Amino acid sequence: MALIHIEPLPRRTSPGVVLAFVCNGAKLDRKHIGKIAFVGRGATVEVADAKAAAAVAALDGSQVAERPVRVRFAGKADFTDADHFAHLSKLLDLEAKAEQEEARRRAQAQEGSPIGDGTTLTALTLRDAEFGLGGRLLLTFTRKTRTDPLPPTRLQPGSPVVLSQTNVNRRVPSFRGVVYDRDASSIGIAIDPPDDEMPDDAVWRLDLSPDEVSRLRQQDALQRAAAATGDRLADLRAVLLGEKQPESRSQESGVRNHEPGSSFDSSPTPDSRLPSPALNAPQLAAIECALSAEDVAIIHGPPGTGKTTTLVELIRQMVARGESVLACAPSNHAVDNLLDKLLAAGELPVRLGHPARVAPELRSRAIDILAEKHPDARQARKVAKEAFSLFREADKWSRDRPQPGEKAAMRREARSLLAESRRLEALAIERVLDEARIVCATLTGLDSQLLGKRRFNVVVIDEACQSTEPANWLPLLRVDRLVLAGDHCQLPPTVLSPEAAEDGLAISLMERLVGQLGPDVARLLTVQHRMHAAIMGFSNAEFYDNELIAHPSVAEHRLCDLPGVRTEPLTETPVQFIDTAGASYDEELEEDTGSRRNVQEAGLAARQVRKLLDAGLLPAQIGLITPYRAQVRQLRELLADVPGLEIDSVDGFQGREKESIVLSMVRSNSEGEIGFLSDVRRTNVAMTRARRKLIVIGDSATLANHAFYQRMLAYFESIGAYSSVWEITDE
């Protein structure tokens, strides 16, 4: 029999309640159900193999005691006749193993260090507890002496953690939470209100929590997609696996009828919102393609072409014609970027996710904060405070011994009040979601306990090429159509396992579909509004078949056109390559990390930054990029006296831009090895961050061992951008 897991369940839920929930909700006979075992706050149930997939689909998001629960597969999947999903599941397991090995490596590297690997804080004392951040309990921890500083740590706002007691011999519950605040001597943790009191005299420990929940959700999505039969998920699977051709429809044909659980009435409405006049023809064509797609559409947005602007207008048009939209991205930063632009366009999306992981200026749109304003939520906080007051009262001993059973009765009443508080809070959240037309979330942050059985007309996934394919199947469980937006010629998903990457985990769903479905569903945005034409030229030829056009407003703009910037050769020319060949600027390994740096090249890059500053640029107008973290550290040390100057890795600058970019390539060795610079998409990202001036520093003798860099060097020479380090030194 297959195993399914149900969580969270109310305290002391009986096997009979679980049995009734499964049988009634999934319309199963008792004979199809096997053993029921309780694990923590959940239950694992045996279900007949042939019934398990339908049971999970029917039960996930359904309610037990008036609160939605998560239901997922708990056992290892049987992917018979579903090789694609079996392969993805195996790659996820390889990646999980690589993540565990990386965590062990970090711990061993820090063995003997007084702070370990920075993922644990011990000997903490609970100093304060209050309600906030959407009804969560906010806990503040310090050392025993409040003013003692905490050791250096990797635990920062947004980090998932596990909180546990260390001064007790008996088994006590641990609590999962998120860091919401951090300073030199204290750290704040937000948790869901527990069923019991938090003892004031406990000694606490905090551990960084691995993101096991995300992996389990992805594995479950793969199993459900593989097993889907006769529903919309099965139709989408056939299209996305190439078994069926995608279809388009007329925009006047109306909106597909929702299944029960839709977040709002999806009947068609007149399109009262005309497209923004600021949009160009390729952007309008991409929007039209996505609006008419019956199954899937792809918006390919190279650097500077207004991909997110196009998505925002697309979402506005979808909402105007009566559709509900799930707007997703792989990271919290990317979701916040989309949310910010939707707000600027006059929309009012609801942001899922822990408030601590949402940018502070956008936190007012977080589901918990919005729900807090509802009368049900205010009543929930009042009831919760009453519950914790009872817990504290039950723990107090006075001169008069309490009556037998009095203390236990107070605890029972407190737990009952907490259950009522959670029910009221769930009602408040449901009210907010009922009114939402746009819901924003990370791909792995879609939670059935929050969303219940809600479905959406369409999911729009921004930065889709930075996500592995399994994560993309999570929103597909609850939508009718799919729009992917990104650029597969920029950075791929981050994958730790070399084996998983080589076997396909580093290939995003969008990249696979562009190759599989091609121009039938994909539209390329071709007008870029960021770069001088000379900065764009090489990437345009290498990655975009010379289809990109620099808009007249940027095609010839230069640094010397900026107010306060002097006119001189440095600011008049858009591109410069400084060749360090023959100068003995040799790379070296950073001992502690194995990352690479080039001390002499870092010094040259720092001098170029100072020349730009001397010419009148502001620090905030300059970006200093390098592919290696060790070189980032070296450069930050050299330029520590320049506040406002951003120095980061290529990955850190994805989606960003600066008036001037200085790029330090680092690699310089007699063997001609370029390491992961061979992933030329990384170089594409780095070079296309610059608006008016790009300075590339590298060793041509090393770089030219790769055909891509041979062509890059030839391009620089063809536009008169090549110079030798000897010329720079002699200036």
Side-chain angles (χ1 to χ4, degrees):
M1 301 185 85
L3 293 177
I4 67 172
H5 186 71
I6 306 166
E7 65 171 7
L9 291 171
R11 191 181 179 92
R12 295 189 176 90
T13 299
S14 68
V17 169
V18 174
L19 179 63
F21 170 69
V22 175
C23 289
N24 296 336
K27 296 182 173 55
L28 294 178
D29 191 278
R30 172 66 181 84
K31 66 182 179 182
H32 296 129
I33 310 299
K35 295 179 181 177
I36 298 174
F38 289 89
V39 182
R41 292 289 304 277
T44 299
V45 183
E46 290 182 341
V47 179
D49 289 332
K51 305 290 184 179
V56 170
L59 298 173
D60 187 35
S62 297
Q63 293 189 348
V64 176
E66 299 185 83
R67 294 195 68 197
V69 294
R70 310 178 190 97
V71 181
R72 59 173 173 81
F73 285 98
K76 195 64 181 174
D78 178 10
F79 284 112
T80 306
D81 298 324
D83 291 340
H84 180 73
F85 296 102
H87 182 63
L88 291 178
S89 177
K90 172 191 169 186
L91 297 183
L92 275 182
D93 287 341
L94 288 172
E95 180 68 1
K97 183 178 178 181
E99 290 172 354
Q100 294 166 2
E101 290 174 351
E102 174 65 14
R104 282 195 294 269
R105 186 196 67 76
R106 284 198 306 265
Q108 290 170 358
Q110 295 291 331
E111 195 170 348
S113 166
I115 63 169
D117 67 346
T119 62
T120 298
L121 288 174
T122 58
L124 297 174
T125 299
L126 178 61
R127 291 299 181 190
D128 191 26
E130 61 178 346
F131 285 93
L133 279 179
R136 288 181 172 83
L137 190 60
L138 304 184
L139 309 173
T140 301
F141 294 92
T142 66
R143 291 299 200 198
K144 188 173 183 180
T145 301
R146 294 186 183 217
T147 56
D148 284 354
L150 297 176
T153 177
R154 292 169 52 209
L155 303 179
Q156 300 297 334
S159 298
V161 292
V162 175
L163 174 67
S164 54
Q165 289 180 242
T166 59
N167 62 332
V168 290
N169 294 322
R170 61 188 175 84
R171 181 180 176 87
V172 293
S174 58
F175 306 96
R176 289 192 173 272
V178 172
V179 178
Y180 75 89
D181 192 23
R182 171 81 169 89
D183 60 28
S185 59
S186 68
I187 187 167
I189 311 298
I191 66 171
D192 288 331
D195 287 335
D196 291 303
E197 74 282 6
M198 307 286 291
D200 293 333
D201 59 347
V203 177
W204 296 93
R205 170 191 176 109
L206 275 178
D207 291 281
L208 183 67
S209 173
D211 198 4
E212 183 69 4
V213 171
S214 293
R215 185 184 68 83
L216 291 174
R217 286 179 181 173
Q218 291 177 74
Q219 289 283 18
D220 179 65
L222 295 178
Q223 287 184 256
R224 290 175 63 175
T229 305
D231 59 9
R232 185 57 186 152
L233 179 58
D235 293 338
L236 285 173
R237 180 189 64 206
V239 172
L240 300 182
L241 296 187
E243 298 166 359
K244 175 184 173 185
Q245 285 298 308
E247 297 179 4
S248 295
R249 56 178 169 152
S250 165
Q251 290 190 44
E252 288 75 32
S253 62
V255 179
R256 181 192 299 276
N257 291 328
H258 267 191
E259 296 181 16
S262 166
S263 59
F264 73 104
D265 181 10
S266 62
S267 57
T269 60
D271 189 347
S272 59
R273 306 182 190 189
L274 296 175
S276 168
L279 296 178
N280 56 51
Q283 291 172 326
L284 291 172
I287 291 172
E288 182 179 357
C289 174
L291 288 175
S292 62
E294 187 77 26
D295 304 301
V296 59
I298 294 173
I299 299 177
H300 182 188
T305 55
K307 168 181 57 65
T308 305
T309 299
T310 304
L311 284 189
V312 168
E313 185 60 39
L314 170 63
I315 291 170
R316 290 181 69 245
Q317 293 300 316
M318 288 173 166
V319 169
R321 69 182 194 179
E323 295 187 295
S324 57
V325 182
L326 184 57
C328 293
S331 67
N332 282 295
H333 176 75
V335 174
D336 284 348
N337 181 52
L338 189 56
L339 171 62
D340 187 38
K341 287 181 167 57
L342 283 165
L343 288 170
E347 299 296 335
L348 292 174
V350 172
R351 172 71 155 91
L352 304 189
H354 198 290
R357 290 180 175 146
V358 180
E361 64 273 16
L362 302 173
R363 205 165 280 169
S364 63
R365 299 308 303 171
I367 178 69
D368 292 349
I369 306 303
L370 290 168
E372 264 190 341
K373 301 173 183 177
H374 194 276
D376 284 340
R378 289 195 288 270
Q379 179 64 18
R381 287 197 301 278
K382 181 179 177 181
V383 172
K385 288 178 181 179
E386 186 178 346
F388 278 98
S389 177
L390 280 174
F391 277 132
R392 285 192 293 270
E393 188 67 26
D395 269 354
K396 289 180 181 177
W397 289 88
S398 63
R399 293 179 182 177
D400 298 325
R401 192 176 182 85
Q403 294 295 318
E406 183 179 350
K407 193 171 180 179
M410 292 177 72
R411 288 179 178 275
R412 282 195 300 273
E413 184 181 355
R415 292 190 186 103
S416 175
L417 287 171
L418 274 180
E420 174 65 8
S421 171
R422 291 195 180 100
R423 186 187 71 80
L424 289 170
E425 193 169 76
L427 280 175
I429 288 173
E430 190 166 348
R431 300 281 197 282
V432 172
L433 288 172
D434 283 344
E435 297 174 3
R437 292 196 164 198
I438 307 169
V439 173
C440 297
T442 60
L443 292 166
T444 55
L446 298 172
D447 186 356
S448 296
Q449 188 185 4
L450 194 67
L451 288 171
K453 299 190 70 63
R454 281 178 174 77
R455 290 188 60 82
F456 299 82
N457 287 111
V458 61
V459 59
V460 175
I461 303 178
D462 197 9
E463 304 296 357
C465 293
Q466 294 181 45
S467 168
T468 59
E469 180 171 340
N472 284 253
W473 285 94
L474 280 162
L476 290 173
L477 301 179
R478 55 177 74 244
V479 301
D480 296 333
R481 306 194 319 279
L482 167 67
V483 177
L484 297 165
D487 182 10
H488 52 283
C489 300
Q490 295 189 61
L491 290 179
T494 300
V495 177
L496 289 180
S497 167
E499 184 180 352
E502 290 171 9
D503 281 356
L505 192 59
I507 299 174
S508 66
L509 176 62
M510 177 175 158
E511 182 176 359
R512 179 170 70 76
L513 292 180
V514 166
Q516 173 183 309
L517 301 176
D520 290 343
V521 301
R523 294 295 182 271
L524 175 69
L525 304 181
T526 57
V527 181
Q528 70 88 9
H529 292 257
R530 175 187 300 167
M531 294 165 277
H532 188 288
I535 297 173
M536 177 190 76
F538 179 66
S539 289
N540 194 17
E542 285 290 318
F543 297 99
Y544 308 111
D545 296 325
N546 281 317
E547 292 191 54
L548 300 190
I549 301 167
H551 190 270
S553 63
V554 302
E556 299 295 331
H557 66 179
R558 302 169 298 169
L559 290 180
C560 60
D561 299 326
L562 292 171
V565 176
R566 291 199 309 270
T567 299
E568 57 183 69
L570 179 65
T571 63
E572 288 180 305
T573 56
V575 180
Q576 183 178 15
F577 175 75
I578 304 176
D579 189 358
T580 65
S584 298
Y585 282 17
D586 297 328
E587 67 184 68
E588 61 185 38
L589 281 175
E590 189 178 58
E591 290 184 9
D592 295 340
T593 66
S595 182
R596 296 180 185 273
R597 65 187 175 197
N598 190 317
V599 177
Q600 294 91 339
E601 185 175 294
L604 177 58
R607 291 194 294 275
Q608 296 305 304
V609 169
R610 294 189 188 278
K611 287 181 181 180
L612 290 167
L613 293 170
D614 290 343
L617 268 77
L618 301 174
Q621 294 175 310
I622 304 169
L624 185 44
I625 304 180
T626 180
Y628 291 93
R629 297 300 309 181
Q631 189 79 337
V632 170
R633 287 185 280 272
Q634 183 73 23
L635 290 164
R636 286 177 176 171
E637 184 178 328
L638 290 173
L639 292 161
D641 61 322
V642 185
L645 173 68
E646 290 193 60
I647 305 172
D648 212 336
S649 65
V650 179
D651 301 57
F653 262 95
Q654 172 112 341
R656 312 275 307 289
E657 62 183 58
K658 293 286 183 178
E659 297 294 348
S660 180
I661 290 291
V662 179
L663 171 59
S664 171
M665 302 295 284
V666 176
R667 299 310 298 259
S668 178
N669 55 75
S670 57
E671 295 81 14
E673 294 179 354
I674 64 170
F676 80 147
L677 289 186
S678 58
D679 185 350
V680 297
R681 290 175 292 185
R682 182 166 269 100
T683 302
N684 182 36
V685 171
M687 293 174 65
T688 55
R689 300 309 94 196
R691 287 175 49 78
R692 300 169 188 260
K693 179 76 177 190
L694 170 67
I695 301 174
V696 181
I697 304 173
D699 179 355
S700 64
T702 299
L703 295 174
N705 285 279
H706 191 286
F708 171 85
Y709 294 103
Q710 286 180 12
R711 296 191 295 272
M712 182 187 77
L713 294 168
Y715 174 77
F716 289 150
E717 288 195 47
S718 73
I719 63 171
Y722 176 89
S723 59
S724 167
V725 67
W726 306 110
E727 302 169 40
I728 302 299
T729 305
D730 292 341
E731 289 180 0

